[in-house]
């Protein structure tokens, strides 16, 4: 039986793994993190926020430029970070790129009252993508509405199928405090998972679905998107799963220091680089994906030291 969580009784999370792994990760310097690159896993530093978000935006352009009528292609993108989204629209318009054969997958959406939240909900990810990206693209360049895919509660099977129908060149993401990508959170300690978290095989078989959100995730989203008003954050969401993630040709994770802390930004690349896979740290599963990148804003890496505030 694994030890209890320090953070949320009744849930799995990174505080339940071997403490030596956490100690080793905490000691990494920025240069140590850079040296974690290995075949199939690349660590990339960006010295300015401008270069960081421009590089993220350019991955949208690079994916969409590969799309043709006979081979439609696209990118799966996050809300968090979001600063790249206006840059994507600006690049599409300035370069006059037709998105006719292009696709976009949203990673997730909030879910409450038995369905996904409407696009009018202030926290809606559909709303965020429209407000910051799609509504700013020239009408004659926009992709057809049917080429934009979200894991909606009523059409999860169709969402999963779309990853077989069209090339997902890149799946981008951030990293949350729960060490997730999208809303692939650690699971609750109930039923068959009361004493041990799911096996890697069990977690890898999870596809797009409705999920209960970890308390850490609720607090993070309240902090980053809701002014700390946690009771305003839905407790469930729909999310892309590992099944769809492994159909993406590349997984690209972007860390500017807004969504996880200095320790978290060390723990997951350490585990991925060393092949330490544990479903209490969902991001660690990417150790088994053949093409993963971690992008960092160098100044956000800081160090895991005591600093009183």
């Amino acid at each position: 039986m694994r030890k209890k969580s320090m953070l949320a009784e009744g849930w799995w999370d990174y505080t339940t793994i071997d403490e030596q792994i956490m100690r080793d990760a905490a000691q990494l310097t920025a240069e140590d993190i850079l040296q974690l690159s290995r075949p199939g896993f690349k660590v990339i530093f960006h010295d300015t926020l401008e270069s960081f978000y421009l590089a993220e935006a350019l991955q949208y352009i690079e994916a969409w430029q590969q799309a043709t009528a006979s081979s439609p292609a696209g990118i799966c993108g996050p809300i968090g970070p979001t600063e790249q989204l206006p840059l994507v629209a600006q690049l599409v318009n300035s370069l006059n790129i037709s998105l006719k054969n292009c696709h976009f997958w949203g990673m997730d959406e909030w879910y409450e009252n038995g369905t996904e939240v409407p696009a009018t909900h202030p926290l809606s990810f559909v709303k965020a993508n429209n407000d910051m990206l799609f509504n700013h693209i020239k009408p004659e360049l926009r992709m057809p509405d049917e080429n934009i895919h979200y894991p909606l509660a009523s059409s999860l099977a169709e969402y999963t199928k779309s990853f077989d129908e069209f090339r997902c060149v890149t799946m981008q993401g951030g990293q949350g405090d729960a060490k997730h990508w999208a809303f692939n959170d650690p699971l609750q300690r109930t039923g068959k998972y009361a004493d041990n978290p799911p096996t890697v095989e069990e977690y890898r078989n999870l596809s797009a679905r409705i999920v209960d959100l970890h308390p850490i995730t609720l607090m993070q989203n309240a902090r980053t998107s809701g002014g700390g008003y946690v009771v305003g954050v839905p407790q469930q969401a729909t999310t892309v799963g590992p099944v769809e993630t492994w159909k993406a040709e590349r997984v690209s994770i972007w860390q500017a220091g807004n969504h996880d802390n200095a320790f978290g930004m060390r723990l997951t690349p350490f585990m991925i680089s060393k092949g330490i896979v544990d479903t209490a740290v969902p991001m660690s599963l990417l150790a088994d994906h053949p093409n993963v990148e971690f992008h960092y804003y160098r100044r956000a890496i800081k160090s895991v030291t005591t600093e009183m505030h």
Side-chain angles (χ1 to χ4, degrees):
M1 179 176 175
R2 292 267 288 268
K3 63 183 179 181
K4 293 182 178 180
S5 165
M6 293 175 59
L7 303 175
E9 186 177 358
W11 291 80
W12 292 104
D13 60 59
Y14 63 92
T15 66
T16 68
I17 67 173
D18 184 346
E19 289 185 21
Q20 188 61 50
I21 297 171
M22 293 188 279
R23 286 193 291 268
D24 290 343
Q27 295 173 5
L28 297 175
T29 66
E31 291 308 310
D32 290 335
I33 296 172
L34 198 59
Q35 296 303 313
L36 293 174
S37 291
R38 59 162 173 76
F41 178 56
K42 183 185 298 184
V43 176
I44 301 165
F45 284 178
H46 302 268
D47 290 328
T48 68
L49 281 175
E50 291 82 0
S51 63
F52 179 92
Y53 290 120
L54 178 58
E56 187 174 9
L58 284 170
Q59 287 192 347
Y60 283 67
I61 303 304
E62 293 162 359
W64 287 340
Q65 285 183 324
Q66 296 182 43
T68 65
S70 60
S71 182
I75 187 167
C76 181
I79 295 298
T82 59
E83 288 84 351
Q84 75 282 1
L85 297 176
L87 299 177
V88 175
Q90 184 177 354
L91 288 165
V92 169
N93 291 336
S94 296
L95 299 174
N96 203 42
I97 300 172
S98 172
L99 303 183
K100 178 182 179 181
N101 299 310
C102 300
H103 286 256
F104 173 80
W105 289 268
M107 300 191 82
D108 34 30
E109 185 56 287
W110 301 104
Y111 179 92
E112 62 181 358
N113 301 321
T115 188
E116 64 275 353
V117 300
T120 54
H121 192 289
L123 290 176
S124 166
F125 296 152
V126 173
K127 180 181 187 298
N129 276 311
N130 288 338
D131 289 350
M132 288 189 262
L133 172 58
F134 293 116
N135 290 348
H136 296 281
I137 295 175
K138 295 175 184 176
E140 64 271 22
L141 299 177
R142 291 179 193 166
M143 66 181 63
D145 289 344
E146 59 267 26
N147 290 14
I148 301 175
H149 314 277
Y150 285 97
L152 304 181
S154 60
S155 55
L156 290 172
E158 289 85 347
Y159 178 81
T160 297
K161 184 180 178 182
S162 68
F163 282 85
D164 294 320
E165 296 173 324
F166 315 109
R167 284 181 62 211
C168 182
V169 177
T170 297
M171 180 179 290
Q172 285 189 351
Q175 174 172 297
D177 287 341
K179 320 309 171 207
H180 65 204
W181 80 100
F183 279 131
N184 292 293
D185 280 0
L187 300 190
Q188 295 186 56
R189 296 185 72 144
T190 58
K192 63 185 292 189
Y193 304 129
D195 295 330
N196 289 286
T199 66
V200 173
E201 182 180 8
E202 287 173 321
Y203 205 105
R204 275 282 303 274
N205 285 331
L206 296 173
S207 59
R209 63 206 186 279
I210 300 166
V211 295
D212 294 320
L213 297 174
H214 199 288
I216 298 174
T217 296
L218 298 179
M219 285 299 298
Q220 177 200 331
N221 280 274
R223 172 177 60 84
T224 59
S225 304
Y229 188 61
V230 70
V231 296
V233 178
Q235 297 182 47
Q236 292 181 299
T238 60
T239 189
V240 67
V243 167
E244 295 81 20
T245 301
W246 260 255
K247 293 178 181 179
E249 296 172 8
R250 171 176 60 178
V251 177
S252 184
I253 305 299
W254 295 78
Q255 307 207 55
N258 296 323
H259 296 91
D260 202 358
N261 52 43
F263 170 69
M265 289 191 287
R266 287 163 166 76
L267 177 64
T268 53
F270 178 76
M271 294 181 72
I272 291 171
S273 178
K274 304 301 182 183
I276 304 169
V277 182
D278 192 305
T279 62
V281 185
M283 189 71 83
S284 73
L285 271 70
L286 295 180
D288 296 329
H289 191 285
N291 187 8
V292 177
E293 297 176 355
F294 267 40
H295 293 257
Y296 292 87
Y297 172 42
R298 183 186 288 267
R299 291 183 62 184
I301 295 170
K302 300 183 180 178
S303 60
V304 184
T305 55
T306 299
E307 184 176 337
M308 307 301 286
H309 291 280

